[in-house]
Amino acid sequence: MSDPAARPSAADLDARADAPQAGPSAPAVHAGDRSFAAIAAKVRAGEPLDRDDGVALYRHRDLLGLGVLANEVRERLHGDRTYFNVNLHINPTNVCEADCKFCSFARLTPDMPQAYTMTVEQVRQKLIERAHQPITEVHVVNGLHPGVPFSYYTDILRGLKEVRPDVHLKAYTAVEIHYFAEKYGMTYEQVLRALIEAGLGSLPGGGAEIFADRVRRKICRDKADAQQWLEVHRTAHRLGLRTNCTMLYGTVETLEERVEHMLALRELQAETGGFQTFIPLAFHNEHNDFRKLPEPTGVDDLRTYAVGRLMLHNIPHIKAYWVMIGVKTAQIALSFGVDDLDGTVQEEKIYHMAGADTPMALARAELVRLIREAGRVAVERDTLYGVRWVDDGAPLPEIRMDASVPFSGHS
Ligand code: V47
């Protein structure tokens, strides 16, 4: 939890002391002891890259060359297909016991300004209000609320399913699942089975941040650690759930720590095959304890997508979350390894409270226009990457950007 009016904290100062090591400030030099040509040869031969390759790619001066290589992998896997979905984000409560320094969304206790906890009925209303929209997925993420029973979370899922049985519920991060297990005295498996029973379809990738203990001690010391985050996903995969994975970049981590984070995800994927997509999340600095840290630059965003595509050869999709990096960078990222543009994303709060100046939602037709203009073929997917619609180039309906305006149906 962060108070926007608070003076710079110790964490602020610590973070600044670390900043020169962090990605955005690291000098972009030639690919160090690894030549780019040797790494490219490995990629083209289908060989997994190692830690030094990843760091060398990050430091490679030729951004476009890096993009071309990542694009080769993207096109090998997906051709020109570029996925998007029609989704709605709901954050039923922002009350959160954890004190993540980068977070602008959470409030430590229910009586703090801007703290809120919706009733299950209010959560249902969010979906009822949009009955006319072709939403296929609801993404549900909360703070770690100390004062609600476990049934709050199962009731939310059941309530949403009652409203729209067809909708896929991608809900509760591994950090939440870990918290539920500790708080309500259950194993990860018991928590997940109860949520599946209530309608859970998959897990979002949030809460991973950066796995390195050194970084977690500085940015998110009091929530699930790396091993716990990975174990929740391992358990979810074993129970047949697909999940996503993320990396929060641009706070106090080094490039080496970013690459090690990707390698840990790759290792779990080799074991379970359950991750669908990797989503790099660019740090936003407004209204949180790290407000003095500079945000990642556009070049850092594009490098991170490209390196992610190249390091994570066994994760099928790389998703650009336009809310985080802006619509324009997300569109350009479609040439840097990204094959998925998330999504219509109505109602997003976590980044908008951290100063994201992106729109509150994108119309379906606008997503298709962005993908078309990037020279790709838009494919509307469901959460599990089932194909719902493939762009045939037909004229698009009028684009209406206001989230409160009813969406037009499929074009
Ligand atoms: O876990 C919070 C990050 C995550 C900030 O799975 C921040 O499809 C940057 O994981 N600056 C939650 N990042 C969102 C998330 C997500 C988003 C879209 C799609 C999916 C998916 C998952 O957002 C948190 C944290 O890593 N975050 N605050 C911030 N100020």
Side-chain angles (χ1 to χ4, degrees), residues 102 139 170 204-207 209 244 248 279 282 284 319 324 351 354:
F102 55 81
H139 171 125
K170 181 182 69 173
E209 324 313 359
N244 295 342
L248 167 67
I279 313 144
H284 273 267
K319 182 157 84 173
M324 307 288 305
Y351 308 103

Side-chain angles (χ1 to χ4, degrees), residues 209-237:
E209 324 313 359
I210 289 280
F211 289 142
D213 283 345
R214 183 194 77 82
V215 176
R216 287 187 104 75
R217 277 197 298 276
K218 287 177 193 286
I219 73 172
C220 58
R221 59 189 320 146
D222 54 1
K223 69 181 187 188
D225 66 20
Q227 290 319 313
Q228 291 160 338
W229 190 97
L230 290 163
E231 188 54 33
V232 170
H233 283 264
R234 181 180 284 111
T235 309
H237 297 168

Side-chain angles (χ1 to χ4, degrees), residues 144-153 176-187 190-191:
L144 308 179
H145 194 313
V148 294
F150 183 57
S151 57
Y152 179 65
Y153 304 101
E176 289 167 82
I177 304 294
H178 171 77
Y179 180 77
F180 300 160
E182 282 206 326
K183 184 169 177 59
Y184 307 112
M186 298 159 86
T187 62
Q190 287 168 331
V191 171

Side-chain angles (χ1 to χ4, degrees), residues 112-400:
M112 295 186 78
Q114 296 173 308
Y116 70 86
T117 303
M118 297 180 197
T119 62
V120 173
E121 191 44 40
Q122 285 169 328
V123 176
R124 278 163 46 93
Q125 279 305 319
K126 296 274 174 203
L127 198 51
I128 291 170
E129 282 162 15
R130 293 170 176 81
H132 51 285
Q133 294 178 7
I135 292 168
T136 59
E137 170 188 287
V138 185
H139 171 125
V140 186
V141 168
N142 297 289
L144 308 179
H145 194 313
V148 294
F150 183 57
S151 57
Y152 179 65
Y153 304 101
T154 48
D155 288 350
I156 285 174
L157 298 178
R158 286 207 174 87
L160 291 170
K161 277 286 186 189
E162 268 165 35
V163 176
R164 290 277 290 270
D166 55 311
V167 131
H168 180 106
L169 301 179
K170 181 182 69 173
Y172 311 138
T173 65
V175 167
E176 289 167 82
I177 304 294
H178 171 77
Y179 180 77
F180 300 160
E182 282 206 326
K183 184 169 177 59
Y184 307 112
M186 298 159 86
T187 62
Y188 295 159
E189 179 167 340
Q190 287 168 331
V191 171
L192 288 167
R193 283 195 188 282
L195 295 173
I196 291 168
E197 168 81 18
L200 180 74
S202 63
L203 296 188
E209 324 313 359
I210 289 280
F211 289 142
D213 283 345
R214 183 194 77 82
V215 176
R216 287 187 104 75
R217 277 197 298 276
K218 287 177 193 286
I219 73 172
C220 58
R221 59 189 320 146
D222 54 1
K223 69 181 187 188
D225 66 20
Q227 290 319 313
Q228 291 160 338
W229 190 97
L230 290 163
E231 188 54 33
V232 170
H233 283 264
R234 181 180 284 111
T235 309
H237 297 168
R238 182 163 53 75
L239 297 180
L241 291 178
R242 294 301 172 129
T243 74
N244 295 342
C245 55
T246 59
M247 176 178 81
L248 167 67
Y249 64 96
T251 65
V252 303
E253 81 286 353
T254 62
L255 298 180
E256 287 78 4
E257 286 162 338
R258 291 188 194 180
V259 173
E260 284 158 10
H261 181 98
M262 294 177 191
L263 289 174
L265 294 172
R266 192 172 90 183
E267 206 177 302
L268 180 58
Q269 180 72 345
E271 188 187 317
T272 66
F275 287 129
Q276 306 197 101
T277 184
F278 173 63
I279 313 144
L281 299 170
F283 167 62
H284 273 267
N285 68 5
E286 279 183 42
H287 311 306
N288 57 51
D289 285 350
F290 282 167
R291 61 192 165 283
K292 299 271 167 49
L293 281 181
E295 293 181 348
T297 62
V299 168
D300 194 19
D301 292 334
L302 293 175
R303 276 209 179 99
T304 300
Y305 282 102
V307 174
R309 180 60 288 167
L310 292 166
M311 293 304 297
L312 297 171
H313 65 277
N314 59 359
I315 298 189
H317 302 281
I318 306 290
K319 182 157 84 173
Y321 189 42
W322 58 261
V323 176
M324 307 288 305
I325 56 168
V327 176
K328 292 182 181 185
T329 306
Q331 185 190 31
I332 296 167
L334 300 180
S335 300
F336 285 76
V338 168
D339 64 281
D340 190 1
L341 205 50
D342 191 3
T344 53
V345 194
Q346 298 173 71
E347 287 271 304
E348 197 291 321
K349 286 197 168 66
I350 297 177
Y351 308 103
H352 286 100
M353 286 175 82
D357 55 7
T358 40
M360 289 306 285
L362 280 188
R364 184 179 182 282
E366 174 65 358
L367 280 167
V368 175
R369 186 177 77 93
L370 291 165
I371 295 168
R372 272 188 192 176
E373 285 203 3
R376 305 292 194 183
V377 177
V379 177
E380 188 191 337
R381 63 169 176 86
D382 61 25
T383 306
L384 303 177
Y385 289 84
V387 171
R388 291 179 53 82
W389 173 86
V390 180
D391 186 11
D392 58 3
L396 295 168
E398 188 191 338
I399 291 165
R400 294 185 288 192

